[in-house]
Amino acid sequence: MNWRERRYSSELSLKDVGQTIEMSGWVDTIRDHGQVLFIHLRDKQGVVQMVFDPNVDAECAKQGAALHSEYAITVKGEVKERADEAKNPNLPTGDIELQISEVTVHSTSKTVPFMITEKSQVDEESAEFNVDEDIRLTYRYLDLRRISMQKNLLRRHEIVQSIRSILNEKSFIDVETPILTKSTPEGARDYLVPSRVHEHKFYALPQSPQLFKQLLMISGMDRYYQITRCFRDEDLRPNRQPEFTQLDLEASFIDESFVYELLETIMIRLFKEQRNVDLSSGFPQITYADCLDQYGNDRPDLRFDMTLVNVTEACNGVSYKIFQSIIDNGGLIKGINLKGKSSELSKSYLQEEIAKKTAAKIGVRGISWMRIEDGKLQSNIVQFFSEEQQANLIKQMNGENGDVLFFIADTNHGTVNDALGRLRLILGEQHGLINKDDVKPCWVIDFPLFEKKEGRLHSLHHPFTQPKGDISKMTDDEISSVNARAYDLVINGEEVGGGSIRIHDSSEQKKIFELLGLSADDIEQKFGFFVNALQYGTPPHGGLAIGIDRLVCILTQNASIREVIAFPKNRVAACPLTQAPDYVSADQLEELSIKQTALKEVEA
Amino acid sequence: MNWRERRYSSELSLKDVGQTIEMSGWVDTIRDHGQVLFIHLRDKQGVVQMVFDPNVDAECAKQGAALHSEYAITVKGEVKERADEAKNPNLPTGDIELQISEVTVHSTSKTVPFMITEKSQVDEESAEFNVDEDIRLTYRYLDLRRISMQKNLLRRHEIVQSIRSILNEKSFIDVETPILTKSTPEGARDYLVPSRVHEHKFYALPQSPQLFKQLLMISGMDRYYQITRCFRDEDLRPNRQPEFTQLDLEASFIDESFVYELLETIMIRLFKEQRNVDLSSGFPQITYADCLDQYGNDRPDLRFDMTLVNVTEACNGVSYKIFQSIIDNGGLIKGINLKGKSSELSKSYLQEEIAKKTAAKIGVRGISWMRIEDGKLQSNIVQFFSEEQQANLIKQMNGENGDVLFFIADTNHGTVNDALGRLRLILGEQHGLINKDDVKPCWVIDFPLFEKKEGRLHSLHHPFTQPKGDISKMTDDEISSVNARAYDLVINGEEVGGGSIRIHDSSEQKKIFELLGLSADDIEQKFGFFVNALQYGTPPHGGLAIGIDRLVCILTQNASIREVIAFPKNRVAACPLTQAPDYVSADQLEELSIKQTALKEVEA
């Protein structure tokens, strides 16, 4: 083994025929063609066919026969052109093979718990890798040998490097902020770290570097970024990780347009490099209100239309009691139009699948549907609509023959938007309205600064977001409905990141804390150092954070973030490979001056 | 304020004269010359002089008069050439000034707790910044406004980017490994993180990604790197941080020469870029044994000679009882030669300062000294040495007239080496033998695999280091003194990093664990998953880790790592700015199923 001589499969082609080369890697598939043995050697992201022919080298063929799957080996051999009929156009190295003259086995392998087959490597698209995820994670070191996983990590690396290179070029400085720090006010639970030296005190792991990046702006750092780990002790959700990676950035003396242009530059480059998709700058900007109104949520999937239409007025006066009663109680009725699909949808699909099952899934009592045929509505409830009402509804819904309309009605307007927004996505998915290769980004803007829960104001983003307008001149009512200088970047219905222009005035910041119901003591205890810092010449500043795991998923078209993280936790925030978290010794706890309380429940 | 129009001080020069430009930054020094006001505007890493002249613009001059230190402002003004006598060659923008026509104050500033003066910015070398460190850290956002601190963070950014760019070029892939993980076996204490979901279990923060990077090699990742945070809950030491940043890398199918060449490439580039020092590849390689023998420790400072000389033989037979008794008891006597300094050193310096005070500091009872004059030794003990013995000693010590020799004798050989090694550094420092601009790197190699403490074997590096040679064929005695395939990179007497070629054979790994006294249960519980992983075709692999904080210190010639970390902890592992670590609520502890035990001691 001589690393200077080593060649990789990705480098080899017909131009190398006749050369004797050295390669290192793993034994992949083994095929025994009578006497001659064909073995694939797998290295970084590729395979090469090795030939062991006893008629050429009997000794070496014997060594070849002793090889088994996943042995780590180094070989020497001559690059040969394959016979025409043996060429494999599906394999990058399919024109050549290696006539092996020397084999070194560095280490053998036990039988692997699942196959790391060439098939899944050469043709990722078709090959489903359907091994149980906990098994995959227990043997992650084998799972990562699969070429698709190798490529995922390589592409993640490339994506992060591209982001860095753009930011470096634009004079952003990568500054590291603490991991052992104080609780951050992001709303989720903090992971705590007991301090041994400072008895009974705890560090907290950061949910984001929010306060530190704002302090860096106060420090005059001008343009900061960091690709950093963040931590949230959330209740378990399938596509969440207790730790995740965030691109965090902030700049001073800027406004929203700076952030939009910067992020668009990054996204245009990444989607070109990773998916060969050409995006144009000037991503659409949609207000939060319009998002809710047209898409039912603040993460609009713009890959297809079928926007939500308010038909409350159009339905007023119909003799359908459910609708009328909802209207009379101040409710909302909205519809979507699944264009031209009527002939494909059976009555039982509409009545059972959608109106009952899907309705239950999206949390509403029912979904009304109507086909449009011969310029008229057809459904189990059209008898409650006059001809004029029907014509009006068709017009409102921009209906044509062959369309199917779906309606949701509820006294709770939020329920209508949320449910119909989900129905839109389900129908879009089920009926092929979504082109998976499309990329449709947008900025969601004009978020409210606050949301009201149980009569109290809460920050929709976080309490450092600047209100739109001077709240010192507003009434409390005006303030409670003021918009924020916040923005989210949404791509294909997924929130990729978000940020805001921040408050740079300490009295405004204090006022916001007061509106959120924090006492003077709370403010001092939690944010005193920060409010103090704001009083020393804080520049106007703003920024954003992007979830790298999710962004990589979108760029690589993986469904789960666990496919783009080397060693993810499983669905219950544990690592099947290392068995973390784990019990620790009584000594360790004693050193930390803590002890365990009785178990809250019997462990499974 | 329009970010598109903004200019930075670093861009401005005579070529801009006549242009009206916009700048943003902070009010720095203010000088009132009669009616005309000269104010420095400070932005990223520089200042520009603003002129407010009431004869030019009375209204604006009034606004200028209302400015105070550290206000955050945006100004418009015309770039003017300064009068010749007003030009300041010490300032990059010293040829020009801005005739201000418009001022916007974004935010005012309270009086700062310490001055952020131009002086300390323009002339870093001479200006001592002697503010108490805890004050600096409490107001870190102001401390970081100093141009020297801005430059430190910028240079850290540049250093890390250069490292990344070399590694990316060489096909290393940046892979993130978990922060919430299992205890790592690095010898120090782990920081623990209680799991709320898995009651009574704990994550540990990694002391290094050692096992994960080895798993990545087993995964076939081939070349991995990461610039990542590591954590050690150590007892307090002045130049340590509970969290630190490490360049961690690993490669497969390689040997030591691969690591040496790679790291030398990195160091050559960094020292050229950051200090304009030309290093040559092929750093000297010094064995651990030679290091101890010649420098008294394994971190040789090669910027000066004065190596340790063993004179035990040469002293055998002298009538000086202390020496003879030490020799008779198997002890060691070694000396160093401070060349040509005799005339500069008073007897009281030798007798009081060195032989007593310094001896106490370096942990020995005494230091013997001898001047060489007229070819003979002079000291308070030469009477115990015959002429022949003196001549022999002078020869051994390569002595000449005007030299001063220092000797340390002890029955404990380690004490002699350690103490004389320190004395060498102290004398080198005190007598100007060290050129602070010199850069002398070396590799320390051939470390023993084990050290013996209290009759038990301990890994000198860590238990994954490969022994030199096949231990399955060695006796236990041979094994206990076998060398390791480990290496440290040492620059100017500081250990910058270290690594090794790792064990890739699971039975060898098990054997090492057994030699370290781990029971089969221990091995299974702590490392079972790893020993198992080794059995699936592990490639030969190795790597290294570099402490980024310290490396940046050396490259930027800062004495303390706290000067190159944005938000460091202080000497007691706390953050004076955020007050981390801090008390948490009883609710938080209850959720984590832990409670505090009684305090171990009364808190200060």
Side-chain angles (χ1 to χ4, degrees):
Chain A
M1 183 188 76
N2 179 346
W3 62 268
R4 286 177 220 275
E5 299 297 326
R6 180 177 177 202
R7 302 287 296 277
Y8 289 95
S9 62
S10 55
E11 303 165 0
L12 295 181
S13 67
L14 285 173
K15 71 179 180 338
D16 302 292
V17 168
Q19 282 190 47
T20 294
I21 62 159
E22 182 171 318
M23 294 189 70
S24 293
W26 285 264
V27 173
D28 198 80
T29 46
I30 301 175
R31 279 173 306 134
D32 193 342
H33 280 207
Q35 284 202 300
V36 184
L37 209 55
F38 296 92
I39 301 182
H40 275 181
L41 176 70
R42 189 183 63 244
D43 65 6
K44 195 174 58 169
Q45 298 141 39
V47 294
V48 170
Q49 178 160 290
M50 303 184 290
V51 182
F52 295 87
D53 187 342
N55 302 314
V56 176
D57 187 333
E59 185 52 39
C60 190
K62 212 181 283 176
Q63 291 181 286
L67 295 178
H68 293 287
S69 277
E70 301 306 328
Y71 281 23
I73 61 175
T74 293
V75 296
K76 270 190 187 154
E78 188 186 333
V79 181
K80 300 260 188 186
E81 180 168 3
R82 295 198 198 182
D84 277 351
E85 66 279 12
K87 287 187 178 171
N88 180 350
N90 295 321
L91 203 62
T93 60
D95 288 342
I96 56 145
E97 56 193 15
L98 267 191
Q99 186 83 51
I100 301 301
S101 54
E102 207 181 304
V103 182
T104 309
V105 175
H106 300 295
S107 52
T108 61
S109 174
K110 293 200 291 193
T111 303
V112 289
F114 48 78
M115 287 308 294
I116 304 165
T117 63
E118 185 199 38
K119 195 161 187 309
S120 68
Q121 293 142 18
V122 174
D123 186 356
E124 295 164 40
E125 302 297 331
S126 72
E128 280 288 320
F129 192 74
N130 57 3
V131 174
D132 175 76
E133 196 176 54
D134 261 22
I135 299 284
R136 285 180 59 198
L137 293 181
T138 303
Y139 296 93
R140 187 61 158 183
Y141 44 90
L142 298 177
D143 190 39
L144 290 177
R145 279 190 195 165
R146 295 189 301 123
I147 286 181
S148 61
M149 291 304 292
Q150 297 246 329
K151 283 192 179 154
N152 284 348
L153 294 188
L154 175 64
R155 290 176 73 182
R156 182 181 178 121
H157 163 80
E158 290 169 347
I159 289 163
V160 168
Q161 293 310 321
S162 287
I163 293 171
R164 286 186 189 280
S165 96
I166 292 172
L167 292 171
N168 295 346
E169 221 168 81
K170 293 189 183 293
S171 301
F172 277 77
I173 297 181
D174 179 2
V175 180
E176 297 179 67
T177 56
I179 299 285
L180 292 173
T181 181
K182 189 174 161 117
S183 284
T184 42
E186 307 286 321
R189 279 187 207 84
D190 289 314
Y191 280 105
L192 297 180
V193 182
S195 164
R196 179 179 54 86
V197 176
H198 300 274
E199 251 186 304
H200 289 190
K201 292 186 176 180
F202 291 78
Y203 301 99
L205 304 182
Q207 296 184 40
S208 92
Q210 183 63 34
L211 290 180
F212 285 108
K213 73 175 171 176
Q214 292 195 242
L215 289 169
L216 284 172
M217 294 302 104
I218 300 175
S219 302
M221 289 306 297
D222 206 58
R223 295 181 181 188
Y224 142 92
Y225 82 97
Q226 193 182 187
I227 292 169
T228 188
R229 217 68 61 81
C230 301
F231 306 84
R232 286 185 194 181
D233 184 10
E234 292 180 305
D235 291 324
L236 298 171
R237 284 156 76 177
N239 216 8
R240 289 287 174 103
Q241 289 282 312
E243 57 183 304
F244 56 95
T245 303
Q246 182 164 300
L247 163 63
D248 194 54
L249 59 85
E250 197 82 2
S252 290
F253 302 108
I254 54 99
D255 58 23
E256 289 87 341
S257 63
F258 176 88
V259 179
Y260 299 161
E261 282 189 24
L262 176 65
L263 266 291
E264 291 177 11
T265 301
I266 292 174
M267 292 301 148
I268 287 167
R269 173 151 162 197
L270 293 179
F271 279 95
K272 184 67 188 172
E273 287 176 349
Q274 292 293 326
R275 289 180 54 179
N276 198 26
V277 169
D278 290 295
L279 298 179
S280 307
S281 60
F283 293 176
Q285 295 175 12
I286 313 181
T287 66
Y288 177 81
D290 283 351
C291 279
L292 284 196
D293 190 47
Q294 294 171 29
Y295 302 94
N297 59 50
D298 58 1
R299 307 178 306 280
D301 189 336
L302 302 183
R303 289 177 297 178
F304 67 113
D305 291 330
M306 200 159 73
T307 48
L308 282 54
V309 180
N310 187 336
V311 294
T312 318
E313 259 325 298
C315 292
N316 201 356
V318 299
S319 52
Y320 185 46
K321 281 194 185 144
I322 296 179
F323 277 16
Q324 198 55 54
S325 139
I326 284 170
I327 293 172
D328 291 344
N329 286 292
L332 181 69
I333 306 176
K334 288 175 91 168
I336 52 179
N337 181 350
L338 181 61
K339 292 208 75 72
K341 297 287 181 187
S342 181
S343 62
E344 298 170 25
L345 310 183
S346 66
K347 186 170 175 183
S348 80
Y349 170 84
L350 294 171
Q351 195 56 28
E352 296 302 316
E353 199 58 41
I354 298 297
K356 289 186 183 160
K357 284 192 197 158
T358 302
K361 203 191 296 175
I362 62 180
V364 287
R365 284 205 207 122
I367 298 170
S368 306
W369 56 268
M370 302 179 187
R371 300 177 192 270
I372 307 183
E373 280 174 25
D374 299 330
K376 295 197 174 153
L377 295 177
Q378 281 209 353
S379 94
N380 51 354
I381 56 165
V382 288
Q383 62 272 29
F384 303 115
F385 293 70
S386 71
E387 288 225 348
E388 200 192 325
Q389 285 165 339
Q390 288 191 30
N392 188 24
L393 203 54
I394 291 174
K395 193 177 152 209
Q396 292 273 318
M397 294 300 299
N398 194 24
E400 294 171 303
N401 287 339
D403 294 354
V404 188
L405 310 179
F406 298 88
F407 299 98
I408 292 177
D410 203 291
T411 49
N412 184 326
H413 294 208
T415 301
V416 173
N417 281 326
D418 178 65
L420 199 58
R422 287 151 171 263
L423 179 63
R424 173 180 176 269
L425 293 175
I426 290 168
L427 292 174
E429 189 77 44
Q430 286 181 351
H431 300 291
L433 304 186
I434 300 173
N435 176 353
K436 297 287 179 191
D437 290 329
D438 259 7
V439 179
K440 295 291 181 193
C442 68
W443 292 102
V444 178
I445 59 169
D446 285 354
F447 286 89
L449 187 64
F450 298 111
E451 53 184 348
K452 232 177 193 158
K453 283 185 205 159
E454 296 160 8
R456 284 179 56 178
L457 295 182
H458 296 265
S459 294
L460 198 71
H461 278 81
H462 56 54
F464 312 105
T465 303
Q466 194 176 106
K468 263 194 162 161
D470 184 352
I471 58 167
S472 72
K473 292 173 184 151
M474 297 182 191
T475 65
D476 278 4
D477 261 10
E478 283 168 342
I479 293 175
S480 71
S481 63
V482 74
N483 277 344
R485 292 183 70 180
Y487 33 80
D488 276 359
L489 176 60
V490 172
I491 300 178
N492 294 354
E494 292 210 64
E495 184 200 324
V496 170
S500 61
I501 302 299
R502 326 295 183 185
I503 294 167
H504 65 271
D505 178 293
S506 67
S507 59
E508 185 170 54
Q509 185 65 71
K510 262 196 180 159
K511 173 81 181 166
I512 295 290
F513 285 140
E514 286 161 15
L515 288 163
L516 293 170
L518 273 74
S519 69
D521 271 3
D522 280 353
I523 297 172
E524 179 52 33
Q525 203 274 322
K526 289 186 187 164
F527 305 112
F529 72 98
F530 183 69
V531 172
N532 195 37
L534 285 174
Q535 297 177 55
Y536 288 96
T538 301
H541 64 287
L544 140 155
I546 295 277
I548 290 288
D549 306 309
R550 188 161 305 178
L551 177 64
V552 174
C553 267
I554 296 174
L555 286 163
T556 59
Q557 296 178 280
N558 273 291
S560 159
I561 58 172
R562 292 183 297 279
E563 300 294 306
V564 299
I565 298 173
F567 299 101
K569 305 287 185 294
N570 65 11
R571 285 153 198 270
V572 293
C575 173
L577 169 58
T578 61
Q579 299 292 328
D582 206 351
Y583 296 109
V584 298
S585 71
D587 289 353
Q588 279 174 289
L589 296 186
E590 199 195 320
E591 268 201 319
L592 297 173
S593 306
I594 57 178
K595 64 180 178 185
Q596 291 159 334
T597 56
L599 281 176
K600 289 201 199 81
E601 53 195 333
V602 178
E603 279 201 280
Chain B
M1 184 189 77
N2 179 345
W3 61 267
R4 286 176 220 275
E5 299 297 326
R6 181 179 177 202
R7 302 287 297 276
Y8 288 95
S9 62
S10 55
E11 303 165 3
L12 295 181
S13 66
L14 285 174
K15 71 177 182 339
D16 301 292
V17 167
Q19 283 190 48
T20 294
I21 62 158
E22 181 171 318
M23 294 189 70
S24 293
W26 285 264
V27 173
D28 198 80
T29 45
I30 301 175
R31 278 173 306 135
D32 193 342
H33 279 207
Q35 285 203 299
V36 184
L37 209 55
F38 296 93
I39 301 183
H40 275 180
L41 176 70
R42 189 183 62 245
D43 65 5
K44 195 173 58 170
Q45 298 141 38
V47 295
V48 169
Q49 177 160 291
M50 303 184 290
V51 182
F52 294 87
D53 187 341
N55 302 313
V56 176
D57 187 334
E59 184 52 39
C60 191
K62 213 182 282 175
Q63 290 181 287
L67 295 178
H68 294 288
S69 277
E70 301 307 326
Y71 280 26
I73 61 175
T74 292
V75 296
K76 269 189 187 155
E78 189 186 333
V79 181
K80 300 260 189 191
E81 180 167 3
R82 293 198 198 182
D84 276 352
E85 67 280 10
K87 287 187 178 172
N88 180 350
N90 294 321
L91 203 63
T93 60
D95 287 343
I96 55 144
E97 57 194 14
L98 267 191
Q99 185 84 51
I100 300 300
S101 54
E102 207 181 304
V103 180
T104 309
V105 175
H106 300 294
S107 52
T108 60
S109 174
K110 292 201 292 193
T111 303
V112 289
F114 47 80
M115 287 308 295
I116 303 165
T117 62
E118 185 198 39
K119 196 163 186 308
S120 68
Q121 294 142 21
V122 175
D123 186 356
E124 296 163 40
E125 301 298 329
S126 71
E128 280 288 320
F129 193 73
N130 57 3
V131 175
D132 175 75
E133 197 177 52
D134 260 22
I135 300 283
R136 285 180 59 198
L137 293 181
T138 303
Y139 296 92
R140 189 61 159 182
Y141 44 90
L142 298 178
D143 190 39
L144 289 178
R145 280 190 195 163
R146 294 189 302 122
I147 286 181
S148 61
M149 291 304 291
Q150 298 246 327
K151 282 191 180 155
N152 284 348
L153 294 188
L154 175 65
R155 291 176 72 182
R156 183 181 177 120
H157 163 80
E158 290 168 348
I159 289 163
V160 168
Q161 294 310 319
S162 287
I163 294 172
R164 286 186 188 279
S165 95
I166 292 171
L167 291 170
N168 295 346
E169 222 168 79
K170 293 189 182 294
S171 301
F172 277 77
I173 297 182
D174 178 3
V175 180
E176 298 178 67
T177 55
I179 298 286
L180 292 173
T181 181
K182 189 172 161 118
S183 284
T184 43
E186 307 286 320
R189 280 188 206 84
D190 290 314
Y191 280 105
L192 297 180
V193 182
S195 164
R196 179 178 53 86
V197 176
H198 301 272
E199 253 187 303
H200 289 191
K201 291 186 176 180
F202 291 78
Y203 301 98
L205 303 183
Q207 297 184 40
S208 91
Q210 182 63 35
L211 289 180
F212 285 110
K213 73 175 171 177
Q214 293 194 241
L215 289 169
L216 284 173
M217 294 303 105
I218 300 174
S219 303
M221 288 307 297
D222 207 57
R223 297 182 180 187
Y224 141 92
Y225 82 97
Q226 194 182 188
I227 292 169
T228 188
R229 218 68 62 81
C230 301
F231 306 85
R232 285 185 195 179
D233 184 9
E234 291 179 307
D235 291 324
L236 299 171
R237 284 155 75 177
N239 216 7
R240 288 288 174 104
Q241 289 282 312
E243 58 183 301
F244 55 97
T245 303
Q246 182 164 300
L247 163 63
D248 194 55
L249 59 86
E250 197 81 4
S252 290
F253 302 109
I254 53 101
D255 59 23
E256 291 86 341
S257 62
F258 176 88
V259 179
Y260 299 161
E261 283 189 24
L262 176 65
L263 266 290
E264 291 177 12
T265 301
I266 292 174
M267 292 301 147
I268 288 168
R269 172 151 164 197
L270 293 180
F271 279 94
K272 184 66 187 170
E273 287 175 350
Q274 291 293 326
R275 289 181 53 180
N276 199 27
V277 170
D278 289 295
L279 298 178
S280 307
S281 60
F283 292 176
Q285 295 176 12
I286 313 181
T287 66
Y288 177 80
D290 283 350
C291 279
L292 283 196
D293 190 46
Q294 294 171 29
Y295 302 94
N297 59 50
D298 59 1
R299 306 177 306 282
D301 189 337
L302 302 182
R303 287 176 297 178
F304 67 113
D305 291 332
M306 202 161 71
T307 48
L308 283 54
V309 180
N310 187 336
V311 294
T312 318
E313 260 325 299
C315 291
N316 202 355
V318 298
S319 52
Y320 185 45
K321 281 195 185 146
I322 296 177
F323 276 18
Q324 198 54 56
S325 139
I326 284 170
I327 293 172
D328 291 345
N329 285 292
L332 180 68
I333 307 176
K334 289 175 92 169
I336 52 178
N337 180 351
L338 181 60
K339 292 208 74 74
K341 297 287 180 187
S342 180
S343 60
E344 298 170 24
L345 309 183
S346 67
K347 184 168 177 186
S348 78
Y349 171 84
L350 295 172
Q351 197 55 30
E352 297 300 318
E353 199 58 41
I354 299 296
K356 290 187 181 159
K357 285 191 196 158
T358 302
K361 203 190 295 175
I362 63 180
V364 288
R365 283 204 208 125
I367 298 170
S368 306
W369 56 268
M370 302 180 187
R371 301 178 191 271
I372 307 181
E373 279 175 26
D374 298 330
K376 296 201 172 150
L377 295 178
Q378 280 210 352
S379 94
N380 52 353
I381 57 165
V382 288
Q383 62 272 30
F384 303 115
F385 293 70
S386 71
E387 289 225 349
E388 200 193 324
Q389 285 166 337
Q390 289 192 28
N392 189 23
L393 204 53
I394 291 173
K395 194 178 151 209
Q396 292 273 318
M397 295 299 299
N398 195 23
E400 294 170 302
N401 288 340
D403 294 354
V404 188
L405 310 179
F406 298 87
F407 299 99
I408 293 178
D410 202 292
T411 50
N412 184 326
H413 295 210
T415 302
V416 173
N417 281 327
D418 178 65
L420 198 58
R422 286 148 170 266
L423 180 62
R424 173 180 176 269
L425 293 174
I426 290 168
L427 293 173
E429 189 77 43
Q430 285 181 353
H431 300 289
L433 304 187
I434 300 173
N435 175 353
K436 297 286 179 192
D437 291 329
D438 258 7
V439 179
K440 296 290 181 192
C442 69
W443 292 103
V444 178
I445 60 170
D446 285 353
F447 287 88
L449 188 63
F450 298 111
E451 52 183 350
K452 231 176 192 157
K453 282 185 205 160
E454 296 160 9
R456 285 177 57 177
L457 296 181
H458 298 264
S459 295
L460 198 71
H461 278 80
H462 55 55
F464 313 106
T465 303
Q466 196 176 107
K468 265 195 161 162
D470 184 351
I471 58 167
S472 72
K473 292 173 184 150
M474 296 181 191
T475 66
D476 279 4
D477 262 9
E478 284 169 338
I479 293 174
S480 71
S481 62
V482 73
N483 277 344
R485 293 182 71 179
Y487 33 79
D488 277 359
L489 176 61
V490 173
I491 299 178
N492 294 354
E494 293 209 64
E495 185 201 323
V496 170
S500 60
I501 302 299
R502 327 295 182 184
I503 294 167
H504 65 271
D505 179 293
S506 68
S507 59
E508 186 171 53
Q509 185 65 70
K510 263 195 180 160
K511 173 81 180 164
I512 295 290
F513 285 140
E514 286 161 14
L515 288 163
L516 292 170
L518 273 74
S519 70
D521 271 2
D522 280 352
I523 297 172
E524 180 52 33
Q525 204 275 323
K526 290 185 186 163
F527 305 112
F529 72 97
F530 183 70
V531 172
N532 194 37
L534 285 174
Q535 297 177 57
Y536 288 96
T538 302
H541 64 287
L544 135 159
I546 294 278
I548 291 288
D549 306 307
R550 187 160 307 179
L551 177 64
V552 174
C553 267
I554 296 174
L555 286 163
T556 60
Q557 295 179 282
N558 273 291
S560 158
I561 58 172
R562 292 184 297 279
E563 301 294 307
V564 299
I565 298 173
F567 299 101
K569 305 287 185 296
N570 65 10
R571 285 153 198 269
V572 293
C575 172
L577 169 58
T578 61
Q579 300 291 329
D582 206 352
Y583 296 109
V584 298
S585 71
D587 289 354
Q588 279 175 289
L589 295 186
E590 200 195 319
E591 267 201 321
L592 296 173
S593 306
I594 56 177
K595 63 180 175 186
Q596 289 159 335
T597 56
L599 282 177
K600 289 202 199 80
E601 53 195 330
V602 178
E603 278 201 279

